[in-house]
Amino acid sequence: MHISKRNGISRGSAWAIRAIAIALALVVSAIVIYAIVKLNPVKVYVSMFSGAFGTNKRMWVTIRDCMILTCIAIGLAPAFKMRFWNIGAEGQMLVGGIAAAFWMINFAGKVPTVLLFVCMIITAIIAGALWGIVPGYFKSIWNTNETLFTLMMNYIAIQLTSFCVSKWENPPGSNSVGAINNGGAVKNVGWIGNLFSEGYNKDYGWTLLIVLLLALFMYLYLTYTKHGYEIAVVGDSENTARYAGIRVNHIYVRTMALSGAVCGFAGFLAVSAVSHTISTDTAGGRGFTAIIVAWLAKMNPFVMILISALITFLNKGAIQIASDYGLNEYVSEIITGIILFFILGSEFFINYKVKFSHKD
């Protein structure tokens, strides 16, 4: 058996391989479902679809969660394209969420709503950018390991979030912030859906519109700007970039500032449009899931939307089948894991070809 790297593969062939992988994943999952719980796999898959799109509310929640995951993946795209392995999206998202919650808690009803949102967005972006600049700066000056550095900063952000929760807990002694501005004269102030209109569908609709515009911006930035070109050159070869006169150290810092800023903005969305509170679970592991999304999409923001939609669908569907059939949550996670395994495995056959030969 001989394995060699493919020189190139058409987009249609690549997506055909992914489609085959998904089909095989569904077959294997069906076998596992029947072997473990003796259920009709077709009914289980119908239940998964119902969990994600069965009602109007479920559909909008699925879209909302898909957009939040996409936003984080978009933030990771410039860093990953530069081969800077930013594993700190969780922390960057949390500090952005802290900044947004700070304004909601302390200034709701004291400043005009539009100004409040401007302050929430700007400080969330700045907080995330600063959280990204630190590992970028250390990498540029001392060539530190960015994977470990960004990962460790997640834990600092988690402890910082715990500290803020203890200061803002409501009611006192609950060890949680609770829904911010959920009643009284400041009801729903800082909730993004009520900036121009009311209703949770419009709340999630604004999230959809904002992230789609962000995806377009990042695509244009990475594809058609000088900065995007410099990121690509540094990612291909640092030595080539230096030979071409590109200031690699500056690119590290600038790109990580952008990456952290977008993840910080995702923290704003998580607080203002999703949970309306801040806690150590605000990121909910999405910073790590977004790594899979960005990698599978090959840093293409529009493809990230599709990958995020699939992963969100699997997550919602897994929760639903656990509820409908009284399954242990780990059974539903097994199904999700099998499907993701096949999807990730398909990338091997997209990038490499396998040939079998017989010796006489």
Side-chain angles (χ1 to χ4, degrees), residues 6 9-20 349-350:
R6 291 184 187 273
I9 186 172
S10 67
R11 184 174 299 177
S13 298
W15 282 103
I17 291 174
R18 293 187 181 103
I20 293 171
F349 295 98
I350 291 172

Side-chain angles (χ1 to χ4, degrees), residues 6 16 23 52 61 77 84 111 124 166 188 191 204 223 234 264 268 281 309 356:
R6 291 184 187 273
V61 169
F84 189 107
V111 298
S166 70
N188 296 352
W191 296 24
Y204 304 159
T223 307
V234 172
F268 156 77
D281 293 326
F356 294 91

Side-chain angles (χ1 to χ4, degrees), residues 161-179:
T161 305
S162 297
F163 172 79
C164 291
V165 168
S166 70
K167 292 296 181 182
W168 297 334
E169 61 182 1
N170 184 29
S174 64
N175 197 32
S176 68
V177 177

